[in-house]
Amino acid sequence: MTNSCSKEAVILYKLHFLNKEISSKFEGCTGVSQSRLELLHHLYQVDEVSQKALQQVMNIDNAAITRHLKQLEAKEMIVRRKKPSDNRITLVSLTDEGRQKISSYQEEKQRFVTSILKGFDEKELDVLLDILNRIKNNIKEV
Amino acid sequence: MTNSCSKEAVILYKLHFLNKEISSKFEGCTGVSQSRLELLHHLYQVDEVSQKALQQVMNIDNAAITRHLKQLEAKEMIVRRKKPSDNRITLVSLTDEGRQKISSYQEEKQRFVTSILKGFDEKELDVLLDILNRIKNNIKEV
DNA sequence: CTAATATAATTGATGTATCAAATATTGATG
DNA sequence: CATCAATATTTGATACATCAATTATATTAG
């Protein structure tokens, strides 16, 4: 892959590779997947949300939300109830146990991310953030 | 996700998000997944390889290789045969049609990656490459 | 030579994502 | 009010990855 490819192609390849590695290690270190923790993080910041709202903020498929929540419900980390004023809508909220558990996940995550970005100073982090934002904007136009 | 998080955590999140977007658009633009094209690219550069060797260079699970190849074989893009001197080993090679098709995939990929990295000059690409390499090295030690 | 071990590939179970179709409920219109 | 359209969620089919167990073959030690 490294030879006979444009520099851009190598970057794309490395991004892909990196992400696979990160996802795998993330789960190993924190005990939860990135997506799952992101979902929990959103719930952490509110009292109650509809699945629809969750789905939109997470930019993930409806079906995936349903399935995540089903599992989290089974583990008693969240509760769901129908919105009284509109029975189409399901409202989701964390249980107390859920809320507690997230704190420790977040700590693990912070430890993880610090080690991944070890050796980067503030200025470099900003450069990287800027790069990621620019790529994100480029993607939107594809 | 953007609030109440360390800069590092935001970067991790954005990397994750970016990759999801890229994967999705990549497939839409090129008609093939990143992994699949990477596999084909490796095959493109050699005459014949064992599945084992493919698996190692791609850093992907054995089972995933088997299943990719099964599909590619069904589409007549590759052929497989047992290595005569060791029947445990399966050797894989592209068909002529496979070889042709890859060329057009690669063109699409180049178009795609160029648009994703639009606005980045040579020096910035090097900076990004360097960053990705450093992160990769950090991950190895986690 | 035969039993134990190692290697390569495959298969089955599982996790997480997608899309498309089905279901339930609400709202709006003739 | 009856029907039709819109909205939220769920389910089923598919894709692609993992791990663990299985199969087939080769190698090695006794």
Side-chain angles (χ1 to χ4, degrees), chain B residues 20-36:
Chain B
K20 212 177 79 172
E21 294 290 295
I22 288 176
S23 295
S24 159
K25 299 264 184 171
F26 184 97
E27 194 150 350
C29 290
T30 64
V32 69
S33 74
Q34 278 179 284
S35 297
R36 183 65 66 82

Side-chain angles (χ1 to χ4, degrees), chain A residues 46-137:
Chain A
V46 295
D47 244 23
E48 233 182 1
V49 252
S50 68
Q51 296 193 186
K52 183 70 187 164
L54 254 186
Q55 181 259 307
Q56 284 166 336
V57 68
M58 281 198 56
N59 195 48
I60 208 179
D61 190 84
N62 276 321
I65 293 281
T66 295
R67 286 167 182 140
H68 271 298
L69 293 177
K70 210 184 265 181
Q71 289 177 257
L72 289 169
E73 200 170 38
K75 288 191 204 154
E76 300 186 339
M77 289 191 67
I78 62 149
V79 212
R80 291 193 287 174
R81 66 183 184 105
K82 290 278 179 201
K83 181 171 188 169
S85 63
D86 185 342
N87 278 296
R88 289 170 303 183
I89 295 175
T90 302
L91 295 172
V92 189
S93 55
L94 289 171
T95 59
D96 291 342
E97 305 91 271
R99 215 162 258 281
Q100 280 185 341
K101 211 163 189 177
I102 292 173
S103 299
S104 69
Y105 282 153
Q106 295 278 22
E107 283 170 31
E108 291 302 330
K109 172 183 165 181
Q110 188 53 47
R111 236 190 301 285
F112 176 77
V113 78
T114 299
S115 67
I116 290 298
L117 291 170
K118 195 170 54 188
F120 286 81
D121 63 30
E122 201 70 10
K123 201 181 132 216
E124 285 174 320
L125 293 180
D126 287 331
V127 168
L128 176 51
L129 259 178
D130 179 58
I131 288 174
L132 296 179
N133 285 330
R134 284 164 66 194
I135 297 178
K136 180 176 164 185
N137 288 329

Side-chain angles (χ1 to χ4, degrees), chain B residues 37 40 44 77 94 98-106:
Chain B
L37 186 50
L40 290 171
Y44 196 80
M77 289 193 66
L94 288 171
R99 214 161 259 282
Q100 280 184 341
K101 211 164 188 175
I102 291 173
S103 298
S104 69
Y105 282 153
Q106 296 278 23

Side-chain angles (χ1 to χ4, degrees), chain A residues 13-57:
Chain A
Y13 165 72
K14 294 209 172 196
L15 263 175
H16 186 63
F17 176 83
L18 213 55
N19 227 75
K20 211 177 81 173
E21 294 290 296
I22 288 176
S23 295
S24 159
K25 298 265 183 169
F26 184 97
E27 194 151 350
C29 290
T30 65
V32 69
S33 73
Q34 279 179 282
S35 298
R36 182 83 115 235
L37 186 49
E38 194 197 328
L39 194 161
L40 291 170
H41 180 76
H42 286 302
L43 290 175
Y44 195 80
Q45 296 181 309
V46 295
D47 244 23
E48 233 182 1
V49 252
S50 68
Q51 296 193 186
K52 183 70 187 164
L54 254 186
Q55 181 259 307
Q56 284 166 336
V57 68

Side-chain angles (χ1 to χ4, degrees), chain B residues 38-139:
Chain B
E38 193 197 328
L39 195 162
L40 290 171
H41 180 76
H42 285 303
L43 290 175
Y44 196 80
Q45 296 181 310
V46 296
D47 244 24
E48 234 182 1
V49 250
S50 69
Q51 296 194 186
K52 182 71 187 162
L54 255 185
Q55 181 260 307
Q56 285 167 335
V57 69
M58 282 198 55
N59 195 48
I60 209 180
D61 190 85
N62 276 322
I65 293 282
T66 294
R67 285 164 182 143
H68 271 298
L69 292 177
K70 210 185 264 182
Q71 288 178 259
L72 289 169
E73 202 170 36
K75 289 192 204 157
E76 300 188 336
M77 289 193 66
I78 61 149
V79 213
R80 291 193 287 174
R81 66 184 183 104
K82 290 278 180 201
K83 182 172 188 169
S85 63
D86 185 342
N87 278 295
R88 289 171 302 184
I89 294 174
T90 302
L91 296 172
V92 190
S93 54
L94 288 171
T95 60
D96 291 342
E97 306 91 89
R99 214 161 259 282
Q100 280 184 341
K101 211 164 188 175
I102 291 173
S103 298
S104 69
Y105 282 153
Q106 296 278 23
E107 282 170 33
E108 291 301 331
K109 172 183 165 182
Q110 187 53 47
R111 236 190 302 285
F112 175 77
V113 77
T114 300
S115 67
I116 290 298
L117 292 170
K118 195 171 53 185
F120 286 81
D121 64 30
E122 201 70 10
K123 202 181 133 216
E124 286 174 318
L125 294 180
D126 287 331
V127 168
L128 177 51
L129 260 178
D130 179 57
I131 289 175
L132 296 179
N133 285 330
R134 284 164 66 195
I135 297 179
K136 180 177 163 184
N137 288 329
N138 284 342
I139 291 176

Side-chain angles (χ1 to χ4, degrees), chain B residues 10-22:
Chain B
V10 173
I11 286 174
L12 185 70
Y13 165 70
K14 294 210 172 197
L15 263 175
H16 186 64
F17 176 83
L18 213 54
N19 226 72
K20 212 177 79 172
E21 294 290 295
I22 288 176

